[in-house]
Amino acid sequence: MTILIVILCIALLIILISAFKVNAFLAFLAVSFLAALALGLPPAKIPSMIEKGMGDVLGSLAIVIIAGAMLGKLVAESGAAQKIAKVSMDAFGPKYIQWAMVLTGFLIGIPLYYGIGFVLMVPLIFSVVYRYKLPALYIGLPMLAALSVTHGFLPPHPSPAALVIQFNADMGLTLLYGLAVSIPAIVIGGPIFSRTLKAIPATPLASFNAKDLADEDLPSGFKSFFTALLPVLLLAAASFFPLILNADSKILPYILFAGHPSVVMLLVLVVATWLLGVSEGKKIKDIMTIYGDAIKDIALILLIIAGSGALKQVLTESGVSNQIADYLQHVKVEPLFLAWLIAAIIRFCVGSATVAGLTTAGIIVPLMEQTHTNPNLMVLAVGAGSLMFSHVNDAGFWMFKEYFGLSLKDTFKSWALMESMVGIVGLLGILLLHLIIV
């Protein structure tokens, strides 16, 4: 009954947004309250529960998204995105630009959290789209497929790293196997699949559609690439130094502080303000106007993401993920496939890849130990399942829809299908590895 209620609530959300054209934020709030009442949660606690869900998701993403939008707007307006696009196109050519995007997304996706990578790469994607008149999904989806796969499969991302610990797996082997599984998943879900989407109309955020500047008015290649890559460098450094420093090192707390995603984005914004703004002759007042316009462009996106967090919190508090996991635990199938299936269904119901992965881990550990299943492959199986079925209760779904200006139907046909595709290809790769290793 609980699962049926969840499915009906998700269906209602889709109908409100697509058929009745209700604002997505308001639709999320209405469905969140209805879902909480239908699932039997204490009425007095429902408002605070929804507020907590909104606060949690915004608390982790607000600074990153806002600072990322400001940075992206400045990168576009200053001509830095145009410079990066020009250099990339000169290096790879129009024929291979998709592979340039895949490589960029993969390299940046390893050290960066998905949300940060998304808001940093969107200006680069759109600069190529606008300047060379290429289909937005054809250019953007390969890069975002790479970001998504690294988020679900590869340590040091939160869910895979936590699963490595819970399954007592080997971090190095998991990363090695993960790389082997990731490559075909990215290639099929990215460059190959995106070629079928060229006809889908997309109207990327106008915020990143800056006027073309003459080559002599563009910032230098160093300024452009350094500003775009600085978040990656800082986050990579923050991940590396704790591995070589003693736990009682006096500088370690400062490194951890400077390496926090929110702090990194603010530091980069300060650097970008100087490199792409003041040093290029722009006045602080004009730069702040650019930043103000950027916030206006993404205000609705923030509200929609907050609404998705409210629904996710209701579904998590209802315990639906545990009910699904307990039921499926007794199904007699290959443990790797069962772990993938549990994670996939929980992801569909709850919307969070991290929640799906960590919930599955608590259920599958005893079965893994009984069957002596390879723990490194189990990490990957859960990760692949947690990428499945991204839809209206997933913040990433809405970020993609709103940034690319897609209809709900076209977001399902592109983003949701891509996420399920990489999850299925990932599972097949894991099962193949299992046969080879055994």
Side-chain angles (χ1 to χ4, degrees):
M1 187 64 187
T2 301
I3 297 174
L4 178 61
I5 291 172
V6 170
I7 293 172
L8 290 175
C9 287
I10 291 170
L12 175 60
L13 183 65
I14 294 171
I15 291 170
L16 286 174
I17 296 170
S18 59
F20 293 98
K21 309 300 180 185
V22 176
N23 177 278
F25 173 65
L26 296 178
F28 265 117
L29 288 184
V31 172
S32 296
F33 279 106
L34 288 174
L37 291 170
L39 291 168
L41 296 173
K45 294 183 179 180
I46 291 174
S48 59
M49 190 182 302
I50 287 174
E51 290 169 0
K52 181 180 185 303
M54 294 174 63
D56 285 350
V57 72
L58 282 184
S60 63
L61 285 176
I63 293 177
V64 170
I65 290 177
I66 291 171
M70 291 178 175
L71 178 63
K73 183 80 169 177
L74 182 60
V75 166
E77 292 289 339
S78 67
Q82 184 179 329
K83 184 71 173 184
I84 293 171
K86 184 177 184 301
V87 172
S88 299
M89 191 62 77
D90 290 343
F92 287 88
K95 185 177 180 180
Y96 299 106
I97 192 64
Q98 274 194 317
W99 298 103
M101 293 296 176
V102 167
L103 181 61
T104 303
F106 188 74
L107 293 176
I108 286 176
I110 291 175
L112 287 189
Y113 295 131
Y114 177 81
I116 304 172
F118 185 101
V119 297
L120 286 177
M121 290 301 99
V122 160
L124 175 57
I125 292 169
F126 292 168
S127 65
V128 172
V129 168
Y130 282 122
R131 183 162 178 77
Y132 298 99
K133 307 297 187 291
L134 294 169
L137 295 181
Y138 175 75
I139 295 299
L141 204 66
M143 178 181 283
L144 298 179
L147 282 177
S148 181
V149 168
T150 56
H151 169 74
F153 287 5
L154 304 181
H157 285 278
S159 183
L163 292 173
V164 165
I165 295 170
Q166 292 199 40
F167 293 154
N168 197 27
D170 181 276
M171 187 77 76
L173 275 178
T174 301
L175 184 58
L176 182 64
Y177 295 157
L179 289 171
V181 170
S182 296
I183 293 171
I186 292 170
V187 169
I188 294 173
I192 294 177
F193 174 56
S194 65
R195 290 172 188 170
T196 68
L197 306 175
K198 289 183 179 181
I200 291 181
T203 53
L205 276 181
S207 177
F208 301 112
N209 186 12
K211 61 182 180 181
D212 278 352
L213 301 176
D215 287 350
E216 59 269 18
D217 295 329
L218 299 177
S220 68
F222 171 77
K223 285 184 178 180
S224 302
F225 278 94
F226 179 75
T227 304
L229 293 176
L230 184 57
V232 182
L233 298 175
L234 291 177
L235 287 165
S239 299
F240 173 72
F241 281 111
L243 299 177
I244 63 174
L245 293 174
N246 294 325
D248 57 354
S249 171
K250 292 183 179 179
I251 65 170
L252 185 58
Y254 297 99
I255 291 174
L256 295 176
F257 165 75
H260 189 279
S262 297
V263 177
V264 165
M265 292 304 300
L266 292 174
L267 289 174
V268 172
L269 197 60
V270 172
V271 173
T273 301
W274 171 258
L275 283 181
L276 300 180
V278 176
S279 71
E280 292 290 315
K282 289 184 174 61
K283 296 179 180 179
I284 289 293
K285 180 181 177 181
D286 295 332
I287 298 171
M288 293 304 117
T289 299
I290 291 173
Y291 290 164
D293 290 340
I295 294 175
K296 294 175 188 176
D297 292 332
I298 53 93
L300 183 59
I301 296 175
L302 284 173
L303 289 175
I304 293 171
I305 290 171
S308 71
L311 181 58
K312 183 184 75 174
Q313 186 69 26
V314 167
L315 297 178
T316 302
E317 293 281 350
S318 72
V320 63
S321 59
N322 291 328
Q323 291 182 39
I324 295 167
D326 288 341
Y327 175 76
L328 290 176
Q329 188 181 15
H330 304 291
V331 178
K332 302 297 183 183
V333 295
E334 160 63 43
L336 290 171
F337 175 76
L338 181 60
W340 178 88
L341 182 62
I342 293 173
I345 295 177
I346 294 174
R347 157 77 158 181
F348 173 81
C349 292
V350 178
S352 168
T354 302
V355 170
L358 297 181
T359 302
T360 303
I363 299 299
I364 210 72
V365 164
L367 178 64
M368 184 190 75
E369 292 174 347
Q370 291 172 11
T371 56
H372 304 289
T373 305
N374 187 304
N376 306 300
L377 295 182
M378 187 62 80
V379 171
L380 299 178
V382 173
S386 73
L387 293 179
M388 293 290 294
F389 305 132
S390 172
H391 60 96
V392 293
N393 61 355
D394 175 23
F397 178 94
W398 290 101
M399 287 174 68
F400 183 80
K401 177 188 179 299
E402 297 300 321
Y403 271 92
F404 280 79
L406 296 170
S407 68
L408 200 61
K409 176 183 175 182
D410 287 337
T411 310
F412 276 109
K413 288 167 62 178
S414 55
W415 172 261
L417 192 52
M418 179 275 288
E419 285 282 84
S420 294
M421 197 173 292
V422 298
I424 292 169
V425 174
L427 172 66
L428 295 176
I430 292 158
L431 294 176
L432 180 61
L433 270 180
H434 178 56
L435 293 175
I436 295 171
I437 293 171
V438 173

